[in-house]
Coordinates of all heavy atoms in Angstrom, one line a residue:
M15 N 112.7 137.4 101.7 CA 112.5 136.7 100.4 C 111.8 137.7 99.5 O 110.9 138.4 99.8 CB 111.7 135.4 100.6 CG 111.6 134.5 99.4 SD 113.0 133.7 99.0 CE 113.3 132.7 100.3
A16 N 112.4 137.6 98.1 CA 111.7 138.5 97.1 C 111.2 137.7 96.0 O 111.8 136.5 95.7 CB 112.7 139.6 96.7
V17 N 110.3 138.2 95.2 CA 109.8 137.5 94.0 C 110.1 138.6 92.9 O 109.9 139.8 92.9 CB 108.4 137.3 93.9 CG1 107.8 136.7 92.6 CG2 108.0 136.3 95.1
A18 N 110.8 138.1 91.7 CA 111.2 139.0 90.7 C 110.8 138.2 89.4 O 110.7 137.2 89.2 CB 112.6 139.1 90.6
E19 N 110.4 139.1 88.4 CA 110.1 138.8 87.0 C 111.2 139.3 86.2 O 111.5 140.5 86.1 CB 108.7 139.3 86.5 CG 108.4 139.0 85.1 CD 107.1 139.7 84.6 OE1 107.1 141.0 84.7 OE2 106.3 139.0 84.2
L20 N 111.8 138.3 85.3 CA 113.0 138.6 84.6 C 112.5 138.4 83.1 O 112.2 137.3 82.8 CB 114.2 137.8 85.0 CG 115.4 137.8 84.2 CD1 116.0 139.1 84.2 CD2 116.5 136.8 84.8
C21 N 112.7 139.3 82.2 CA 112.7 139.2 80.7 C 113.9 139.6 80.2 O 114.4 140.7 80.3 CB 111.4 140.0 80.3 SG 109.9 139.6 81.1
I22 N 114.5 138.8 79.3 CA 115.6 139.0 78.7 C 115.5 138.9 77.1 O 115.0 138.1 76.7 CB 116.9 138.1 79.1 CG1 117.1 138.2 80.5 CG2 118.1 138.4 78.3 CD1 118.1 137.2 81.1
F23 N 115.8 140.1 76.5 CA 115.7 140.2 75.0 C 117.0 140.3 74.2 O 117.7 141.2 74.3 CB 114.8 141.3 74.7 CG 113.5 141.3 75.4 CD1 113.4 142.1 76.5 CD2 112.4 140.6 75.0 CE1 112.2 142.2 77.3 CE2 111.3 140.7 75.8 CZ 111.2 141.4 76.9
P24 N 117.4 139.3 73.5 CA 118.6 139.4 72.7 C 118.4 140.2 71.5 O 117.3 140.0 70.7 CB 119.1 137.9 72.4 CG 117.8 137.1 72.4 CD 116.9 137.9 73.4
L25 N 119.1 141.1 71.1 CA 119.0 141.9 69.9 C 120.4 141.6 69.0 O 121.3 141.3 69.5 CB 118.9 143.3 70.2 CG 117.7 143.7 71.0 CD1 117.6 145.3 71.3 CD2 116.3 143.3 70.3
G26 N 120.2 141.9 67.7 CA 121.3 141.8 66.9 C 121.6 140.3 66.5 O 122.7 140.0 66.3
T27 N 120.7 139.5 66.5 CA 120.8 138.2 66.3 C 120.7 137.7 64.8 O 121.1 136.6 64.4 CB 119.8 137.3 67.1 OG1 118.5 137.5 66.7 CG2 120.0 137.6 68.5
G28 N 120.1 138.6 64.1 CA 119.9 138.3 62.6 C 118.7 137.5 62.3 O 118.4 137.1 61.2
S29 N 117.9 137.1 63.4 CA 116.8 136.3 63.2 C 115.7 136.7 64.2 O 116.0 137.0 65.3 CB 117.2 134.8 63.4 OG 116.0 134.0 63.5
P30 N 114.4 136.4 63.9 CA 113.3 136.7 64.8 C 113.3 135.6 65.9 O 112.7 135.7 66.9 CB 112.0 136.7 64.0 CG 112.4 136.0 62.8 CD 113.8 136.2 62.5
S31 N 113.8 134.4 65.7 CA 113.8 133.3 66.6 C 115.0 133.5 67.7 O 116.2 133.9 67.3 CB 114.1 132.0 65.9 OG 113.0 131.7 65.1
V32 N 114.7 133.3 68.9 CA 115.6 133.6 70.0 C 115.9 132.5 70.9 O 116.6 132.7 71.9 CB 115.2 134.8 70.8 CG1 115.2 136.2 70.0 CG2 113.8 134.7 71.5
G33 N 115.2 131.3 70.6 CA 115.4 130.2 71.5 C 116.8 129.8 71.8 O 117.2 129.4 73.0
E34 N 117.6 129.8 70.7 CA 119.0 129.2 71.0 C 119.8 130.2 71.8 O 120.7 129.8 72.4 CB 119.7 129.3 69.6 CG 119.2 128.1 68.7 CD 119.2 126.7 69.4 OE1 120.4 126.5 70.0 OE2 118.3 126.0 69.3
Y35 N 119.6 131.5 71.9 CA 120.2 132.4 72.8 C 119.7 132.3 74.2 O 120.4 132.7 75.2 CB 119.9 133.8 72.3 CG 120.5 134.1 71.0 CD1 119.7 133.9 69.9 CD2 121.8 134.4 70.8 CE1 120.3 134.1 68.5 CE2 122.4 134.6 69.6 CZ 121.7 134.5 68.4 OH 122.3 134.5 67.2
L36 N 118.3 131.8 74.4 CA 117.8 131.7 75.7 C 118.0 130.4 76.4 O 117.9 130.5 77.6 CB 116.3 132.0 75.6 CG 116.0 133.5 75.2 CD1 114.5 133.6 75.1 CD2 116.4 134.5 76.3
K37 N 118.5 129.4 75.6 CA 118.7 128.1 76.3 C 119.9 128.3 77.3 O 119.6 127.8 78.5 CB 119.1 127.1 75.2 CG 117.9 126.5 74.5 CD 118.4 125.5 73.4 CE 117.3 125.1 72.6 NZ 117.6 124.2 71.6
P38 N 121.0 128.8 77.0 CA 122.0 129.0 78.0 C 121.5 129.9 79.3 O 122.0 129.7 80.4 CB 123.1 129.7 77.4 CG 122.8 129.7 76.0 CD 121.5 129.6 75.8
V39 N 120.6 130.7 79.0 CA 120.1 131.6 80.0 C 119.3 130.6 81.0 O 119.3 130.7 82.3 CB 119.3 132.8 79.7 CG1 118.5 133.5 80.8 CG2 120.1 133.7 78.8
L40 N 118.4 129.8 80.4 CA 117.5 128.9 81.3 C 118.5 128.0 82.0 O 118.2 127.7 83.2 CB 116.6 128.2 80.4 CG 115.7 127.2 81.2 CD1 115.0 127.9 82.1 CD2 114.8 126.4 80.1
R41 N 119.5 127.6 81.5 CA 120.5 126.7 82.2 C 121.1 127.3 83.4 O 121.1 126.7 84.5 CB 121.6 126.2 81.3 CG 121.9 124.8 81.2 CD 122.9 124.3 80.3 NE 122.5 124.5 78.9 CZ 123.0 125.1 77.8 NH1 124.1 125.9 78.1 NH2 122.6 125.1 76.7
V42 N 121.4 128.6 83.4 CA 121.9 129.4 84.4 C 120.9 129.4 85.5 O 121.3 129.4 86.7 CB 122.3 130.9 84.0 CG1 122.4 131.9 85.1 CG2 123.5 130.9 83.0
I43 N 119.6 129.8 85.1 CA 118.5 129.9 86.0 C 118.4 128.5 86.8 O 118.2 128.4 88.0 CB 117.2 130.4 85.5 CG1 117.5 131.7 84.9 CG2 116.0 130.4 86.3 CD1 116.3 132.3 84.0
E44 N 118.4 127.4 86.1 CA 118.1 126.0 86.6 C 119.3 125.8 87.6 O 119.0 125.2 88.7 CB 118.2 125.1 85.6 CG 116.9 125.1 84.7 CD 116.9 124.1 83.5 OE1 118.1 123.7 83.1 OE2 115.9 123.9 82.9
E45 N 120.6 126.0 87.3 CA 121.7 125.8 88.0 C 121.9 126.8 89.4 O 122.5 126.6 90.2 CB 123.0 125.9 87.2 CG 123.1 124.8 86.2 CD 124.2 125.1 85.2 OE1 124.9 125.9 85.4 OE2 124.4 124.2 84.3
S46 N 121.1 127.9 89.3 CA 121.1 128.8 90.4 C 120.6 128.2 91.7 O 120.9 128.7 92.9 CB 120.3 130.1 90.1 OG 119.0 129.7 90.1
G47 N 119.7 127.3 91.6 CA 119.1 126.6 92.9 C 117.9 127.4 93.4 O 117.2 127.0 94.3
L48 N 117.6 128.4 92.7 CA 116.4 129.4 93.1 C 115.2 128.8 92.5 O 115.3 128.2 91.4 CB 116.6 130.8 92.6 CG 117.8 131.6 93.1 CD1 117.7 133.0 92.5 CD2 117.8 131.8 94.6
K49 N 114.2 128.9 93.4 CA 112.9 128.5 92.8 C 112.4 129.5 91.6 O 112.7 130.6 91.7 CB 111.9 128.6 93.9 CG 110.5 128.0 93.6 CD 109.6 128.1 94.9 CE 108.3 127.4 94.7 NZ 107.5 127.4 95.9
Y50 N 112.0 128.8 90.6 CA 111.6 129.6 89.4 C 110.4 129.1 88.7 O 110.1 127.9 88.8 CB 112.8 129.7 88.5 CG 113.1 128.5 87.6 CD1 112.5 128.3 86.3 CD2 113.9 127.5 88.2 CE1 112.9 127.2 85.6 CE2 114.2 126.4 87.5 CZ 113.7 126.2 86.1 OH 113.9 125.1 85.5
Q51 N 109.8 129.9 87.9 CA 108.6 129.5 87.1 C 108.8 130.1 85.7 O 108.9 131.3 85.6 CB 107.3 129.9 87.7 CG 106.1 129.5 86.9 CD 104.9 129.8 87.7 OE1 104.8 130.2 88.8 NE2 103.7 129.7 86.9
L52 N 108.9 129.3 84.7 CA 109.1 129.7 83.4 C 107.7 130.1 82.8 O 106.9 129.4 82.9 CB 109.8 128.6 82.5 CG 110.3 128.9 81.1 CD1 111.3 130.1 81.0 CD2 110.7 127.8 80.4
C53 N 107.7 131.3 82.2 CA 106.4 131.8 81.7 C 106.6 132.1 80.2 O 107.8 132.2 79.7 CB 106.0 133.0 82.4 SG 105.8 132.8 84.3
P54 N 105.5 132.3 79.5 CA 105.7 132.5 77.9 C 106.5 133.8 77.6 O 107.1 133.8 76.7 CB 104.3 132.7 77.5 CG 103.4 131.9 78.5 CD 104.1 132.1 79.9
M55 N 106.4 134.7 78.6 CA 107.1 136.0 78.2 C 108.1 136.5 79.1 O 108.6 137.5 79.2 CB 106.0 137.2 78.1 CG 104.9 136.9 77.1 SD 105.5 137.0 75.4 CE 105.9 138.7 75.3
G56 N 108.6 135.5 80.0 CA 109.6 135.9 80.9 C 109.8 134.7 82.0 O 109.2 133.6 81.7
T57 N 110.5 135.0 83.1 CA 110.6 133.9 84.1 C 110.5 134.6 85.6 O 111.0 135.7 85.6 CB 112.1 133.3 84.0 OG1 112.3 132.8 82.8 CG2 112.3 132.3 85.1
V58 N 109.8 134.0 86.4 CA 109.7 134.5 87.7 C 110.6 133.7 88.7 O 110.6 132.4 88.6 CB 108.2 134.3 88.2 CG1 108.1 134.8 89.6 CG2 107.3 135.1 87.3
V59 N 111.4 134.4 89.5 CA 112.3 133.6 90.5 C 111.9 134.2 91.9 O 111.4 135.3 92.0 CB 113.7 133.8 90.1 CG1 114.1 133.3 88.7 CG2 114.1 135.4 90.1
E60 N 112.3 133.4 92.7 CA 112.2 133.5 94.2 C 113.5 133.4 94.9 O 114.1 132.5 94.7 CB 111.2 132.6 94.8 CG 110.7 132.8 96.1 CD 109.6 131.6 96.4 OE1 108.6 131.7 96.0 OE2 110.0 130.8 97.3
G61 N 113.9 134.6 95.6 CA 115.1 134.5 96.4 C 115.4 135.8 97.1 O 114.5 136.7 97.0
S62 N 116.5 136.0 97.7 CA 116.9 137.2 98.3 C 117.3 138.2 97.2 O 117.6 137.8 96.0 CB 118.2 136.9 99.3 OG 119.3 136.7 98.4
I63 N 117.3 139.4 97.6 CA 117.7 140.5 96.6 C 119.1 140.2 96.0 O 119.3 140.2 94.9 CB 117.7 141.9 97.2 CG1 116.2 142.2 97.5 CG2 118.2 143.0 96.3 CD1 115.3 142.3 96.4
D64 N 120.0 139.9 96.8 CA 121.3 139.5 96.5 C 121.4 138.3 95.3 O 122.0 138.4 94.4 CB 122.4 139.2 97.6 CG 122.6 140.4 98.3 OD1 122.5 141.6 97.8 OD2 123.0 140.4 99.6
E65 N 120.7 137.3 95.7 CA 120.6 136.2 94.8 C 120.0 136.5 93.4 O 120.4 136.0 92.5 CB 119.8 135.0 95.5 CG 120.5 134.5 96.7 CD 119.6 133.4 97.4 OE1 118.3 133.8 97.5 OE2 120.1 132.4 97.9
I66 N 119.0 137.3 93.5 CA 118.2 137.7 92.2 C 119.2 138.5 91.4 O 119.4 138.3 90.3 CB 116.9 138.3 92.5 CG1 115.9 137.3 93.1 CG2 116.4 138.9 91.3 CD1 114.6 137.9 93.7
L67 N 119.8 139.5 92.0 CA 120.7 140.4 91.2 C 121.9 139.7 90.6 O 122.2 139.9 89.5 CB 121.2 141.5 92.0 CG 120.0 142.6 92.4 CD1 120.4 143.6 93.4 CD2 119.3 143.1 91.1
E68 N 122.4 138.7 91.5 CA 123.4 137.9 91.0 C 123.1 137.1 89.7 O 123.8 136.8 88.7 CB 124.1 137.1 92.0 CG 125.3 136.2 91.7 CD 126.6 136.9 91.2 OE1 126.7 138.1 91.7 OE2 127.3 136.4 90.4
L69 N 121.8 136.4 89.9 CA 121.3 135.7 88.8 C 121.2 136.5 87.5 O 121.5 136.1 86.4 CB 120.0 135.1 89.2 CG 119.3 134.3 88.1 CD1 120.1 133.1 87.8 CD2 117.8 133.9 88.6
V70 N 120.7 137.7 87.7 CA 120.5 138.6 86.5 C 121.9 138.8 85.8 O 121.9 138.8 84.6 CB 119.8 139.8 86.8 CG1 119.9 140.9 85.6 CG2 118.4 139.7 87.3
K71 N 122.9 139.2 86.5 CA 124.3 139.3 86.0 C 124.7 138.1 85.4 O 125.2 138.2 84.2 CB 125.1 139.6 87.2 CG 126.6 139.9 86.8 CD 127.5 140.0 87.9 CE 129.0 140.1 87.4 NZ 129.9 140.3 88.6
K72 N 124.5 136.9 85.9 CA 125.0 135.7 85.1 C 124.2 135.3 83.9 O 124.7 135.0 82.9 CB 124.8 134.4 86.1 CG 125.9 134.5 87.2 CD 125.7 133.4 88.1 CE 126.7 133.4 89.2 NZ 126.7 132.3 90.2
C73 N 122.9 135.7 83.9 CA 122.0 135.6 82.7 C 122.5 136.6 81.5 O 122.5 136.2 80.5 CB 120.5 135.9 83.1 SG 119.8 134.6 84.0
H74 N 122.8 137.7 81.9 CA 123.3 138.7 81.0 C 124.6 138.2 80.4 O 124.7 138.3 79.2 CB 123.6 140.1 81.8 CG 124.1 141.1 81.0 ND1 125.4 141.6 81.0 CD2 123.6 141.9 80.1 CE1 125.6 142.4 80.2 NE2 124.6 142.8 79.6
E75 N 125.5 137.7 81.2 CA 126.8 137.1 80.7 C 126.5 135.9 79.8 O 127.1 135.8 78.7 CB 127.7 136.7 81.8 CG 128.2 137.9 82.6 CD 128.7 137.6 83.9 OE1 128.8 136.3 84.2 OE2 129.5 138.4 84.6
A76 N 125.6 135.1 80.1 CA 125.3 133.9 79.3 C 124.7 134.3 78.0 O 125.0 133.6 77.0 CB 124.3 133.0 80.1
I77 N 123.8 135.2 77.9 CA 123.1 135.5 76.6 C 124.2 136.2 75.7 O 124.1 136.0 74.5 CB 121.9 136.3 76.8 CG1 121.0 136.2 75.6 CG2 122.2 137.7 77.2 CD1 119.6 136.6 75.8
L78 N 125.1 137.0 76.2 CA 126.2 137.6 75.4 C 127.1 136.5 74.9 O 127.5 136.5 73.8 CB 126.9 138.7 76.2 CG 126.2 140.0 76.5 CD1 126.9 140.9 77.5 CD2 125.8 140.6 75.1
K79 N 127.4 135.6 75.7 CA 128.3 134.5 75.3 C 127.7 133.7 74.2 O 128.4 133.1 73.4 CB 128.7 133.7 76.7 CG 129.9 132.8 76.4 CD 130.2 132.1 77.8 CE 131.5 131.4 77.7 NZ 131.8 130.8 79.0
A80 N 126.4 133.6 74.3 CA 125.7 132.8 73.2 C 125.7 133.5 71.9 O 125.2 133.0 70.9 CB 124.2 132.6 73.7
G81 N 126.1 134.7 71.9 CA 126.3 135.5 70.6 C 125.4 136.7 70.3 O 125.5 137.3 69.3
A82 N 124.6 137.0 71.3 CA 123.8 138.2 71.2 C 124.7 139.5 71.1 O 125.7 139.5 71.8 CB 122.8 138.3 72.3
K83 N 124.2 140.4 70.2 CA 125.2 141.5 69.9 C 124.7 142.7 71.0 O 125.4 143.6 71.2 CB 125.1 142.1 68.6 CG 125.5 141.1 67.6 CD 127.0 140.8 67.7 CE 127.4 139.8 66.6 NZ 128.3 138.8 67.1
R84 N 123.5 142.6 71.4 CA 122.9 143.5 72.3 C 121.8 142.9 73.2 O 121.2 141.8 72.8 CB 122.1 144.7 71.5 CG 121.6 145.7 72.2 CD 121.1 146.8 71.2 NE 120.4 148.0 72.0 CZ 119.9 149.0 71.3 NH1 119.8 149.0 70.0 NH2 119.4 149.9 71.9
V85 N 121.6 143.2 74.5 CA 120.7 142.6 75.3 C 119.8 143.8 76.0 O 120.4 144.7 76.5 CB 121.4 141.8 76.5 CG1 120.5 141.1 77.3 CG2 122.4 140.8 75.9
V86 N 118.5 143.5 76.1 CA 117.7 144.4 76.8 C 117.1 143.5 77.9 O 116.5 142.4 77.8 CB 116.5 144.9 76.0 CG1 115.7 145.8 76.8 CG2 117.1 145.7 74.8
I87 N 117.2 143.9 79.2 CA 116.7 143.2 80.3 C 115.6 144.0 81.0 O 115.9 145.2 81.3 CB 117.9 142.9 81.3 CG1 118.9 141.9 80.6 CG2 117.3 142.2 82.6 CD1 120.1 141.8 81.5
S88 N 114.5 143.3 81.3 CA 113.5 143.9 82.2 C 113.3 143.3 83.3 O 113.3 142.0 83.4 CB 112.1 143.9 81.4 OG 111.1 144.4 82.1
L89 N 113.4 143.9 84.5 CA 113.5 143.2 85.8 C 112.5 143.9 86.7 O 112.5 145.2 87.0 CB 114.8 143.3 86.4 CG 115.0 142.8 87.8 CD1 114.7 141.2 87.9 CD2 116.5 142.9 88.3
R90 N 111.5 143.2 87.3 CA 110.5 143.8 88.4 C 110.8 143.0 89.5 O 110.7 141.7 89.5 CB 109.1 143.7 87.9 CG 108.9 144.7 86.6 CD 107.4 144.8 86.4 NE 106.8 143.5 86.2 CZ 105.5 143.3 86.2 NH1 104.8 144.4 86.5 NH2 105.0 142.1 86.1
I91 N 111.0 143.6 90.8 CA 111.2 143.0 92.0 C 110.1 143.5 93.0 O 110.0 144.5 93.2 CB 112.6 143.3 92.6 CG1 113.8 142.7 91.6 CG2 112.8 142.6 93.9 CD1 115.1 143.2 92.0
D92 N 109.6 142.5 93.7 CA 108.6 142.6 94.7 C 109.3 142.1 96.0 O 109.5 140.9 96.2 CB 107.3 141.8 94.5 CG 106.3 142.1 95.6 OD1 106.6 143.0 96.5 OD2 105.2 141.8 95.3
D93 N 109.6 143.0 96.9 CA 110.5 142.6 98.1 C 109.6 143.1 99.3 O 109.4 144.3 99.5 CB 111.8 143.3 98.1 CG 112.7 142.9 99.3 OD1 112.4 141.7 99.8 OD2 113.7 143.6 99.6
R94 N 109.1 142.2 100.1 CA 108.3 142.6 101.3 C 109.1 142.2 102.5 O 109.8 141.2 102.7 CB 107.0 141.7 101.3 CG 106.1 142.3 100.3 CD 104.7 141.8 100.5 NE 104.0 142.3 101.7 CZ 102.7 142.3 101.8 NH1 101.9 141.8 100.9 NH2 102.2 142.9 102.9
T95 N 109.0 143.0 103.6 CA 109.6 142.7 104.8 C 108.6 142.3 106.0 O 108.9 141.9 107.0 CB 110.5 143.8 105.4 OG1 109.7 145.1 105.5 CG2 111.7 143.9 104.3
D96 N 107.2 142.6 105.6 CA 106.2 142.5 106.7 C 105.6 141.1 106.7 O 105.0 140.7 107.6 CB 105.2 143.6 106.5 CG 104.5 143.4 105.2 OD1 105.1 143.0 104.1 OD2 103.3 143.7 105.1
K97 N 105.9 140.3 105.6 CA 105.4 138.9 105.5 C 106.0 138.1 104.6 O 106.8 138.7 103.6 CB 103.7 138.8 105.5 CG 103.3 139.2 104.0 CD 101.9 139.1 103.9 CE 101.3 139.0 102.6 NZ 99.9 138.7 102.4
E98 N 106.0 136.9 104.6 CA 106.6 135.9 103.6 C 106.1 136.1 102.2 O 104.8 136.3 102.0 CB 106.4 134.4 104.0 CG 107.1 133.5 103.1 CD 107.0 132.0 103.6 OE1 107.6 131.8 104.6 OE2 106.3 131.3 102.8
L99 N 106.9 136.2 101.2 CA 106.5 136.4 99.9 C 107.0 135.2 99.0 O 108.1 134.9 99.1 CB 107.2 137.7 99.4 CG 106.8 138.3 98.1 CD1 105.3 138.6 98.0 CD2 107.6 139.6 97.7
T100 N 106.0 134.6 98.4 CA 106.4 133.5 97.5 C 105.7 133.7 96.2 O 104.7 134.4 96.0 CB 105.9 132.1 98.2 OG1 104.5 132.1 98.3 CG2 106.4 131.8 99.6
I101 N 106.2 132.9 95.2 CA 105.5 132.8 93.8 C 104.1 132.4 94.0 O 103.2 133.1 93.5 CB 106.4 131.9 92.8 CG1 107.7 132.4 92.5 CG2 105.5 131.8 91.6 CD1 108.6 131.6 91.8
E102 N 103.8 131.4 94.7 CA 102.6 130.9 94.8 C 101.6 131.8 95.6 O 100.4 132.0 95.1 CB 102.4 129.5 95.6 CG 103.1 128.4 94.9 CD 104.6 128.4 95.0 OE1 105.1 129.1 96.0 OE2 105.3 127.6 94.4
G103 N 102.2 132.4 96.7 CA 101.4 133.5 97.3 C 101.0 134.7 96.6 O 99.8 135.2 96.7
K104 N 101.7 135.1 95.5 CA 101.3 136.2 94.7 C 100.2 136.0 93.8 O 99.6 136.9 93.4 CB 102.5 136.8 93.8 CG 103.6 137.4 94.8 CD 104.7 138.0 94.0 CE 104.1 139.3 93.3 NZ 103.6 140.3 94.1
V105 N 100.0 134.7 93.5 CA 98.8 134.4 92.6 C 97.6 133.7 93.4 O 96.6 133.3 92.8 CB 99.2 133.4 91.4 CG1 100.2 134.2 90.5 CG2 99.8 132.2 91.9
K106 N 97.7 133.5 94.7 CA 96.7 132.9 95.4 C 95.5 133.8 95.6 O 95.7 135.0 96.0 CB 97.2 132.4 96.8 CG 96.3 131.6 97.7 CD 96.9 131.2 98.9 CE 96.0 130.3 99.7 NZ 96.6 129.9 100.9
L107 N 94.3 133.4 95.4 CA 93.2 134.3 95.6 C 92.7 134.2 97.1 O 92.7 133.3 97.8 CB 92.2 133.9 94.7 CG 92.5 134.1 93.2 CD1 91.3 133.6 92.3 CD2 92.8 135.6 92.8

């Protein structure tokens, strides 16, 4: 199990507001069935590496389909094999 932080930035939208471009992305994340946490500057997801990478691909396609002319994606993945890794576990003190 891995935990990843995904930030997607649509460019070329003609407006500083990006919510309309991100709504379809959130729908893709919700429909993925992966555990996720929406944050002010991105989204954290929990799943296998394959599931996370497939989700990123689908999010990329969704934001382009929503009309973005350019997309910048920032992805950080924490993948441990020595113990269980969860979203909650990463913030537990």
Side-chain angles (χ1 to χ4, degrees):
M15 189 68 67
V17 173
E19 179 184 54
L20 172 64
C21 301
I22 301 179
F23 307 95
L25 301 177
T27 64
S29 170
S31 296
V32 296
E34 290 302 312
Y35 297 91
L36 295 175
K37 283 181 185 177
V39 172
L40 182 55
R41 230 176 287 123
V42 166
I43 293 169
E44 290 171 344
E45 292 171 359
S46 74
L48 296 180
K49 186 175 185 179
Y50 73 94
Q51 182 175 347
L52 188 61
C53 303
M55 301 295 290
T57 302
V58 178
V59 295
E60 188 180 290
S62 72
I63 293 295
D64 288 338
E65 290 171 324
I66 291 169
L67 294 176
E68 182 63 27
L69 176 64
V70 172
K71 179 182 174 185
K72 289 179 180 178
C73 290
H74 178 256
E75 293 167 351
I77 202 164
L78 288 174
K79 196 173 189 179
K83 304 291 184 225
R84 184 176 179 184
V85 180
V86 175
I87 298 175
S88 174
L89 176 63
R90 293 191 306 164
I91 298 174
D92 185 355
D93 185 21
R94 289 189 73 156
T95 58
D96 62 329
K97 71 177 197 173
E98 183 178 293
L99 189 61
T100 64
I101 294 170
E102 294 83 12
K104 290 195 60 69
V105 295
K106 187 177 181 181
L107 298 177

